[in-house]
Amino acid sequence: MKNDNMIEVKGVSKSFGGLKAVSDCSLQVEKGSITGLIGPNGAGKTTLFNIVAGTLMPDQGQIIFDGEDVTALKPHELHAKGMLRTFQIAHEFSAMTALENLMVAASEQPGESLFQSWFNIKHVTDFDLEVRKMALDVIDFLHLGHVKNELAGNLSGGQKKLLELGRTMMTDAKAVLLDEVAAGVNKTLLKDLASNIQRMNRELGYTFFVIEHDMDLIAELCDPVIVMAQGTKIAEGPMEDIRNNPEIVEAYFGTAVEAAS
């Protein structure tokens, strides 16, 4: 039977001591979608993201990725299967150029093998030329040509976020988890960032799962939007419906917020 979901969260719970951060949470991220995840502080969004990304193990429940149970897999194993995550604070190689940051992200480079480096130098060299061409294509796609030779540590917050997006394009990614993509990004670059996410979704077929506090950005990018409160999903739908849902207004401005503060 055909499965239209890229990510499925099935009955996931996670506690830290006496605090139940995620409670019997189930949700789906459809293939080819840009799905948003919102909720008040303390709703369990980041904990759930960490479980999906493999940095935390759930106490119970399952994570299904592209039809496969990946609950027990580590982040590097999920990366190999095509699930990537970006972070609120960009993790660039600051002493390398923007172009070099993209080149090192390419998967299965033969130069990483001592045998290949010694006995198959032509193959390594040819592969490096292909990776460089691919990285330059990504630079052009993201309109970062003017900073391609700049040290990544000198880039602005928004440029670093674009560079993180570019690194996902250097791999065989199927789905990208975006954690607070707007954090530290000025309004001008945020428009570029949003536009590139939409282009990667539309032109390259990437599925995105997005945690974000900027409701205008969520409204621009995401459909559907999933709402969490007190560790579980309470609503899902277009942003217009979400904003007009009394239960969600209560979650943000009523008892759920008071309980989380």
Side-chain angles (χ1 to χ4, degrees):
M1 185 173 71
K2 183 181 177 182
N3 187 347
D4 291 328
N5 294 318
M6 183 63 75
I7 299 169
E8 297 177 73
V9 175
K10 295 186 173 183
V12 165
S13 295
K14 181 68 178 180
S15 296
F16 301 96
L19 173 66
K20 196 151 195 177
V22 179
S23 179
D24 194 24
C25 184
S26 296
L27 55 84
Q28 295 82 39
V29 176
E30 188 175 338
K31 290 178 181 177
S33 72
I34 306 178
T35 298
L37 182 64
I38 65 173
N41 290 332
K45 305 183 302 296
T46 298
T47 300
L48 182 66
F49 236 49
N50 286 335
I51 291 170
V52 172
T55 55
L56 282 176
M57 278 288 293
D59 297 332
Q60 65 182 45
Q62 290 178 296
I63 303 299
I64 309 297
F65 179 61
D66 200 16
E68 179 182 353
D69 187 338
V70 297
T71 310
L73 298 190
K74 302 296 184 185
H76 69 279
E77 295 171 314
L78 290 170
H79 182 284
K81 291 184 177 294
M83 184 194 296
L84 280 72
R85 180 184 181 176
T86 69
F87 293 86
Q88 183 174 347
I89 300 173
H91 290 65
E92 77 283 353
F93 296 106
S94 58
M96 300 174 70
T97 67
L99 182 62
E100 289 167 342
N101 265 262
L102 294 181
M103 291 179 67
V104 299
S107 303
E108 299 180 356
Q109 300 195 38
E112 296 172 356
S113 163
L114 188 61
F115 178 86
Q116 293 282 352
S117 297
W118 283 2
F119 299 108
N120 200 353
I121 297 174
K122 185 178 186 307
H123 177 54
V124 172
T125 302
D126 289 347
F127 189 90
D128 285 348
L129 289 173
E130 285 297 315
V131 167
R132 180 180 174 82
K133 181 181 181 302
M134 183 179 179
L136 287 170
D137 288 343
V138 171
I139 287 277
D140 287 343
F141 184 93
L142 297 174
H143 306 298
L144 285 174
H146 59 296
V147 295
K148 68 181 180 183
N149 295 318
E150 183 68 59
L151 293 180
N154 296 336
L155 302 182
S156 70
Q159 290 168 337
K160 289 178 181 179
K161 292 288 181 73
L162 282 170
L163 193 61
E164 277 209 333
L165 276 182
R167 288 207 299 253
T168 71
M169 295 172 65
M170 296 296 296
T171 69
D172 296 324
K174 298 177 184 176
V176 181
L177 310 183
L178 297 178
D179 189 354
E180 297 287 352
V181 68
V185 181
N186 67 47
K187 291 295 184 183
T188 300
L189 272 177
L190 190 56
K191 289 181 180 178
D192 288 343
L193 199 56
S195 173
N196 279 297
I197 291 168
Q198 290 169 324
R199 288 177 64 209
M200 288 171 69
N201 171 254
R202 182 177 62 250
E203 297 175 21
L204 304 177
Y206 281 56
T207 299
F208 287 96
F209 192 24
V210 186
I211 287 182
E212 183 54 62
H213 282 103
D214 186 324
M215 293 298 100
D216 291 335
L217 182 62
I218 285 285
E220 179 181 353
L221 282 180
C222 301
D223 187 10
V225 177
I226 296 169
V227 187
M228 285 186 70
Q230 297 180 316
T232 195
K233 171 183 162 182
I234 63 168
E236 177 178 350
M239 192 60 183
E240 184 178 352
D241 294 349
I242 296 296
R243 281 176 161 155
N244 294 320
N245 186 318
E247 187 179 3
I248 297 166
V249 173
E250 175 69 14
Y252 270 100
F253 302 109
T255 56
V257 168
E258 292 167 4
S261 61

